[in-house]
Amino acid sequence: STSRCAFAASNISGPGDHQEVHNEESIFMFANEQVHLGNGRNVVADDILFGYDVLYETTKVFKRQRWKGMIVEQDPLDAWAIQEFLWNEKPDVMIELGTNAGGSAVFFAEIMVAYNSEAHVITIDPFDRIAVGRMGERPQVLASSSPLWGSTIRHIIGYPDAPEVLTLVEGLLHEFNASHVFVNEDSDHQKKHVLTNLLAYQRFVRPGGWILIQDTKMSRLFPQIYGQSGTLQGPLQAQREFLRRHPEFQVDRRYEFFMYTQHAQGWLRKRLPTKYGLPHATRMQRRER
């Protein structure tokens, strides 16, 4: 006989283990679309998309993912979407907040140098986890063994918002003569940390440039911790507060084309100036004052 296992959100281990998932709002694109499976079986798209979220977390499949033997915990669909973003938008510098074992920095850097040999990744983490990832897993290949490490990829150990780290970042951007910076926020997922990082790094993004806030999924998977009424709140709440403070940025969902993403509503684009010299939303707000 075939052994069957039931996967449920209440079985997810992590912050707030074994909690009941309540009705946090779905933020997937097309979440309410009907999906006809045949034989009279119909579901809404959200059941499939959130179901995959639950499976991905419950089985901890991210712990076994590797890129050329290096640890990369990015969901494969998101990894593909990000590489397509990089190829289309062609930032010359990515600032990655959250290095973990460094495999993602290598993955992104290999894409970037394919379109610009002078591109760079600045990756920042409070801890040096290159030899042992955050979940205790060991890579088959160290990210630091990549020929891009130390040249194309610059690794900074420190808290992203620390003055000395920001000084280092500013110096590197000057050294690289950076003109198109992409901020990839994948650090500690507590709202206060994500928001602090967004506020510190948004100034490096030019009009038309981008920020990605990763793991907005946390609010729904772990609502008692990261939800709207959670004890810490998470990346999604940081996104909403950031947009209130910086209306020159707006959600742009063009890179959510797979429908499933762990970063729903996390892609933010800085508005281009209008002929009046200010982004539209900013002008409207000033008129209302």
Side-chain angles (χ1 to χ4, degrees):
S1 62
T2 303
S3 175
R4 302 188 67 182
C5 178
F7 297 96
S10 58
N11 293 330
I12 297 172
S13 63
D17 288 356
H18 309 300
Q19 61 188 284
E20 181 182 355
V21 173
H22 56 72
N23 293 324
E24 287 280 329
E25 176 187 359
S26 176
I27 55 173
F28 291 121
M29 293 179 67
F30 310 111
N32 296 319
E33 293 295 316
Q34 291 286 323
V35 181
H36 305 290
L37 303 178
N39 297 322
R41 294 182 300 159
N42 301 312
V43 296
V44 295
D46 185 65
D47 290 337
I48 299 171
L49 301 172
F50 185 56
Y52 176 78
D53 244 347
V54 171
L55 283 169
Y56 192 86
E57 287 292 326
T58 305
T59 59
K60 290 184 168 56
V61 67
F62 52 85
K63 290 183 66 174
R64 69 170 307 277
Q65 294 177 186
R66 298 293 184 268
W67 166 255
K68 297 182 176 179
M70 292 171 276
I71 294 170
V72 177
E73 294 186 2
Q74 190 76 229
D75 174 79
L77 293 178
D78 283 319
W80 187 276
I82 293 170
Q83 68 80 27
E84 190 157 329
F85 160 84
L86 291 171
W87 192 261
N88 290 342
E89 307 294 337
K90 294 182 170 49
D92 50 16
V93 176
M94 173 194 289
I95 302 176
E96 180 187 47
L97 306 180
T99 306
N100 193 23
S104 60
V106 176
F107 175 77
F108 298 138
E110 290 190 9
I111 302 298
M112 294 173 70
V113 296
Y115 63 74
N116 178 0
S117 62
E118 299 300 316
H120 290 87
V121 174
I122 303 171
T123 184
I124 306 167
D125 201 292
F127 308 102
D128 186 350
R129 294 193 173 103
I130 301 304
V132 182
R134 67 183 183 92
M135 303 290 289
E137 67 275 43
R138 294 181 178 274
Q140 298 162 281
V141 176
L142 293 176
S144 55
S145 69
S146 166
L148 301 179
W149 200 268
S151 52
T152 297
I153 302 167
R154 305 297 179 91
H155 185 203
I156 298 175
I157 300 173
Y159 288 94
D161 63 322
E164 63 272 19
V165 170
L166 285 164
T167 298
L168 285 172
V169 170
E170 289 172 347
L172 287 172
L173 294 178
H174 179 75
E175 175 187 335
F176 303 152
N177 194 27
S179 63
H180 186 5
V181 175
F182 165 49
V183 175
N184 185 2
E185 210 297 326
D186 190 21
S187 65
D188 185 301
H189 296 318
Q190 297 180 43
K191 174 187 174 180
K192 65 180 181 180
H193 296 306
V194 176
L195 181 59
T196 296
N197 291 341
L198 294 173
L199 295 174
Y201 284 84
Q202 55 81 25
R203 60 194 171 100
F204 300 126
V205 179
R206 73 183 189 185
W210 296 75
I211 293 173
L212 173 59
I213 304 170
Q214 295 210 22
D215 292 305
T216 54
K217 67 173 187 172
M218 301 295 281
S219 295
R220 196 173 183 199
L221 285 172
F222 306 110
Q224 294 176 358
I225 305 295
Y226 295 114
Q228 182 61 38
S229 301
T231 55
L232 299 176
Q233 299 190 325
L236 184 60
Q237 286 70 39
Q239 178 256 50
R240 290 169 177 168
E241 176 65 24
F242 176 73
L243 291 179
R244 282 193 290 270
R245 298 195 195 187
H246 285 277
E248 69 271 24
F249 285 87
Q250 62 183 342
V251 175
D252 190 315
R253 309 193 74 169
R254 72 184 72 179
Y255 291 106
E256 294 182 41
F257 52 81
F258 283 119
M259 292 178 286
Y260 175 77
T261 173
Q262 298 185 355
H263 322 316
Q265 298 186 10
W267 288 97
L268 308 183
R269 192 178 189 207
K270 194 170 188 177
R271 301 172 192 266
L272 293 167
T274 69
K275 64 180 180 180
Y276 301 102
L278 291 170
H280 178 73
T282 306
R283 290 190 292 111
M284 293 298 292
Q285 284 189 351
R286 290 194 175 182
R287 287 178 188 173
E288 292 169 359
R289 290 176 182 170

